[in-house]
Each structure stands twice: as structure tokens, then as C-alpha cells.
């Protein structure tokens, strides 16, 4: 397959992950179509880049394990359902061993996000947000949920260059 078509297939991942983060930060939801499209797009991308069936199976196993972890975190009310699905879909794309840096980067980004929201939700910062868009006001509301899809997207984007897909394409 021509490298330009491979590049287009690879672009699906960062574009959809960024869209998911933007949707989460502005609406506190990640639509199912984003995670669904990520899952559906992985298989043609993997085949076009020449990943073997065992490699694809390993990616699927990582995605399944990420789904189990996501469901557990959702059940514990640590993340939302959309976050759990995005976490799993990103795990599918990242595979082994890139899933390890993904977990670390996502945790670090989650901590940074929590600190940023604590600052934004403080009384003196909220005054600067009142005149902004409604989503910004909701983001700055104390007690409001955390758009963890942002942290998932940061972790996924940071880990993506180390994936088998990127190595198959020529890497960065």
C-alpha cells in the first residue's frame, strides 16, 4: 500500500483521540461513535501496515485488558463510561509494549489535569471564567466531574510514536 494511504490510516488515531479530548472538556461526554470508529479503523490500519495476525491479536488482547481496567475504574466511579471506552480503544491501537508508557503518561497527565482543575475551581480563578463560554464555567465549577478523556488523549498521543504501527510505517 502506498505510504500516503498508510499515513492517512494512521492519522485516524490522533485525530479521533484529540476530538474525544475536546468533546470531553467541552461537554463532559465522549460519544460512542469516536471509540467505535477507533476500533473499526484499527484493523484496516494494522493490515495496511503489514502487522501479522499474532501482532494484531496482541493489540486486541491489550485492548481487551484495557477495557476490563476501564470497566473497573468506571465501577469505582473514578472515570466515566466514555473514558473507559476511549481508554480501551486507545489500548487497542497502542498494543504491547507501548501500553506501558501509555499507562504512565496517562496517570501523569491525569494528575496534572487534577491540579489544573483544583486551581481553576478555586474562588479567585472562577472570577476570570464567568464571562467565558458555558463549558468553561462548568469546567470551573467545584464538585463537577473531571474530563479524564483529556488525560487519556495526552497519554495516548505521547505513547503513539512507540507503537508497532509506527515502527511498521517507518516510525518517527
Amino acid at each position: 500500500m502506498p505510504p500516503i494511504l498508510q499515513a492517512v490510516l494512521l492519522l485516524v488515531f490522533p485525530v479521533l483521540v484529540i476530538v474525544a479530548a475536546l468533546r470531553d472538556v467541552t461537554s463532559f461526554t465522549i460519544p460512542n461513535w469516536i471509540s467505535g470508529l477507533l476500533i473499526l479503523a484499527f484493523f484496516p490500519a494494522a493490515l495496511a501496515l503489514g502487522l501479522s495476525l499474532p501482532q494484531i491479536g496482541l493489540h486486541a488482547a491489550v485492548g481487551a485488558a484495557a477495557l476490563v481496567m476501564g470497566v473497573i475504574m468506571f465501577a469505582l466511579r473514578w472515570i466515566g463510561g466514555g473514558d473507559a471506552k476511549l481508554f480501551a480503544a486507545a489500548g487497542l491501537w497502542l498494543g504491547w509494549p507501548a501500553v506501558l508508557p501509555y499507562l504512565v503518561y496517562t496517570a501523569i497527565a491525569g494528575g496534572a489535569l487534577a491540579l489544573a482543575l483544583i486551581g481553576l475551581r478555586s474562588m479567585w480563578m472562577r472570577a476570570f471564567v464567568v464571562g467565558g463560554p458555558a463549558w468553561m464555567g462548568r469546567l470551573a465549577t467545584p464538585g463537577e466531574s473531571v474530563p479524564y478523556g483529556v488525560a487519556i488523549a495526552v497519554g495516548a498521543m505521547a505513547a503513539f510514536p512507540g507503537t508497532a504501527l509506527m515502527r511498521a510505517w517507518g516510525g518517527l
Side-chain angles (χ1 to χ4, degrees):
M1 176 170 284
I4 189 72
L5 292 177
Q6 292 174 333
V8 168
L9 287 169
L10 280 174
L11 274 174
V12 168
F13 180 73
V15 167
L16 288 177
V17 165
I18 291 168
V19 168
L22 291 173
R23 286 292 302 263
D24 202 18
V25 82
T26 58
S27 69
F28 289 88
T29 60
I30 300 171
N32 288 336
W33 67 264
I34 294 174
S35 298
L37 195 52
L38 277 167
I39 292 165
L40 289 175
F42 167 76
F43 295 99
L47 292 172
L49 287 156
L51 263 61
S52 67
L53 288 180
Q55 285 176 303
I56 293 171
L58 189 54
H59 277 259
V62 168
L67 180 61
V68 169
M69 286 178 57
V71 167
I72 290 169
M73 290 186 288
F74 173 72
L76 293 171
R77 306 183 114 207
W78 293 351
I79 63 174
D83 300 324
K85 290 177 261 187
L86 178 63
F87 186 73
L92 172 68
W93 275 80
L94 298 170
W96 184 264
V99 70
L100 298 175
Y102 169 52
L103 295 173
V104 171
Y105 295 142
T106 300
I108 292 169
L113 176 64
L115 290 175
L117 288 175
I118 288 169
L120 182 64
R121 291 173 179 177
S122 67
M123 284 182 62
W124 64 274
M125 281 300 290
R126 283 189 41 83
F128 294 105
V129 179
V130 240
W135 65 266
M136 183 65 95
R138 183 172 178 204
L139 195 61
T141 301
E144 186 61 74
S145 57
V146 175
Y148 203 75
V150 174
I152 293 168
V154 168
M157 293 297 292
F160 190 51
T163 63
L165 290 167
M166 291 302 288
R167 284 192 306 276
W169 185 59
L172 291 174

